[in-house]
Amino acid sequence: MQNLIDLRSDTVTRPTPGMRAAMAAAEVGDDVYGDDPTVNRLQAVVAERFGYPSALFFPTGTQSNLAALMTHCGRGDEFLVGQDAHIHTSEQGGAAVLGGMMPQPLQHAPGGEIPIERIAHAIKPDDVHYVRTRLLALENTLGGRVLPADYLRAATDFAHGRGLRAHLDGARLFNAIVKLNVDEPAAAAGFDSVSLCLSKGLGAPAGTVLLGEDSFIGQARRWRKALGGGMRQAGILAAAGLYALEHHVQRLAEDHDNAQRLAAGLRAIGLEVEQPHTNMVFVDIPENHVAALSAHLAERGVLACITPHTRLVTHLDAPRSKIEAALQAFRAYPDWSSESSGSW
Ligand SMILES: Cc1ncc(COP(=O)(O)O)c(C=O)c1O
């Protein structure tokens, strides 16, 4: 496993020796009673760093997003969300299934933003026929793209002006922070709640922190328990998160550099590659090569979800040498120009 080059996601990292040592040494208690000192420290550190009154530790980003949505919206309320946002595409519709909310998906602009006029158009009038629109949910980074700070400010100001609340799925917000070299409060400004994952890119084995006002976090804590997320001696995981925050944030720049290198190398083969913003590279693979390329890469120890629009993700466990080896495997694919994958 250690020698595989796994470019499927930045969630595949394993805790480093230093992180494991911090986990082993963690002081713990029962967090449902609020007794875990390491969880409490993580929550205090993240709230302080981002300039929010309160924070709550969750096992996963999915649960943190769902608890946030359930806290902002009641049964029969609507939230506006990007068509490609993880909340809409990849969380099993939990907000509708478990929270009784109605998602209103909206098309993104090419940069990932949802144009303000589209948001304005989607807000329902106060009419007995319509659901009540309560929340705008954005995601940053979105598919590796960093949303511009002035857009985020304008969108959250607009939402608030129309009586909506604003939630940010910041699963990879640290990538945006490092890319733009902005401070943490600035990156999270304008939102009523922000969900930050520690297990994507930062290398922790699990854990997400939700930020918000005291009363919001109090209610989110109730939903977390109802959703089965009340963990006990969770300080072992929180210690990994604290270690990640201390040691693995600034190094995200290496992942961004590696993504640029990977993109350039794939382009040199003649493939169509989007210019990466952060740690995700999107490359078009001719449909007839998908299965054969997948098998070819797997034989060379490169794990990648090959599709016609392939996403490759750089991370802590894919240093420069592995990126070079992955490129070598792509270059060794026998015949990019063949019409059929069976012909080589
Ligand atoms: C943008 C985004 N939000 C939320 C999540 C959910 O996180 P988790 O897998 O911890 O539930 C993911 C997972 O990859 C994600 O990419």
Side-chain angles (χ1 to χ4, degrees):
M1 285 300 278
Q2 300 294 347
N3 290 330
L4 287 177
I5 304 167
D6 193 342
L7 302 178
R8 291 172 300 171
S9 177
D10 50 7
T11 58
V12 300
T13 56
R14 276 167 287 249
T16 60
M19 183 178 281
R20 285 175 191 265
M23 294 170 76
E27 220 188 317
V28 295
D30 187 332
D31 183 49
V32 172
Y33 290 106
D35 284 350
D36 191 301
T38 312
V39 171
N40 291 341
R41 187 148 57 85
L42 172 66
Q43 291 171 166
V45 163
V46 180
E48 156 94 29
R49 273 174 65 156
F50 281 82
Y52 274 68
S54 218
L56 186 64
F57 187 51
F58 284 80
T60 66
T62 300
Q63 195 179 77
S64 167
N65 279 330
L66 179 54
L69 293 174
M70 290 172 79
T71 303
H72 286 304
C73 302
R75 189 172 168 76
D77 288 346
E78 177 187 66
F79 64 100
L80 310 179
V81 62
Q83 183 88 45
D84 301 337
H86 196 274
I87 286 177
H88 185 60
T89 64
S90 307
E91 298 183 7
Q92 284 203 29
V97 175
L98 303 171
M101 280 166 251
M102 177 139 139
Q104 169 64 68
L106 300 175
Q107 203 71 40
H108 301 269
E113 308 93 321
I114 306 170
I116 307 261
E117 52 287 6
R118 212 166 279 168
I119 296 171
H121 188 67
I123 298 172
K124 308 294 179 293
D126 184 5
D127 180 301
V128 74
H129 293 90
Y130 301 130
V131 288
R132 284 168 307 226
T133 312
R134 291 277 193 223
L135 177 76
L136 173 67
L138 297 176
E139 181 178 320
N140 193 24
T141 61
L142 176 77
R145 287 164 297 181
V146 179
L147 299 193
D150 51 359
Y151 165 74
L152 293 171
R153 172 58 72 187
T156 52
D157 280 354
F158 178 80
H160 289 142
R162 296 292 302 267
L164 272 56
R165 294 172 69 80
H167 171 71
L168 179 66
D169 178 358
R172 295 185 178 80
L173 190 60
F174 286 104
N175 282 286
I177 288 166
V178 168
K179 176 72 184 189
L180 298 180
N181 196 21
V182 290
D183 65 18
E184 289 158 348
F191 289 93
D192 300 290
S193 56
V194 179
S195 175
L196 297 164
C197 288
L198 303 167
S199 60
K200 298 172 185 73
L202 298 192
T208 293
V209 177
L210 180 65
L211 297 166
E213 294 281 346
D214 293 337
S215 60
F216 170 87
I217 290 296
Q219 183 56 39
R221 184 189 299 278
R222 293 188 65 82
W223 282 127
R224 183 185 70 172
K225 190 75 179 79
L227 295 169
M231 297 184 286
R232 303 295 178 173
Q233 286 70 33
I236 289 190
L237 293 174
L242 282 162
Y243 185 93
L245 288 172
E246 205 169 313
H247 296 95
H248 294 166
V249 174
Q250 288 313 319
R251 67 146 307 286
L252 289 170
E254 287 173 39
D255 299 343
H256 302 170
D257 286 349
N258 283 338
Q260 296 291 340
R261 184 164 284 248
L262 188 55
L266 293 171
R267 217 172 276 128
I269 299 173
L271 295 168
E272 204 64 52
V273 188
E274 286 174 23
Q275 189 57 30
H277 279 201
T278 55
N279 67 331
M280 293 187 187
V281 178
F282 288 89
V283 51
D284 290 342
I285 303 296
E287 187 110 36
N288 55 324
H289 289 289
V290 165
L293 177 65
S294 227
H296 167 89
L297 292 174
E299 271 167 29
R300 285 156 184 78
V302 178
L303 295 184
C305 303
I306 302 295
T307 67
H309 194 56
T310 292
R311 181 188 83 162
L312 303 170
V313 188
T314 58
H315 53 77
L316 181 62
D317 283 1
R320 177 64 56 88
S321 57
K322 286 195 173 186
I323 298 299
E324 294 300 343
L327 273 173
Q328 200 47 47
F330 270 93
R331 283 188 208 106
Y333 181 69
D335 189 3
W336 281 110
S337 59
S338 75
E339 286 301 310
S340 121
S341 57
S343 67
W344 51 276

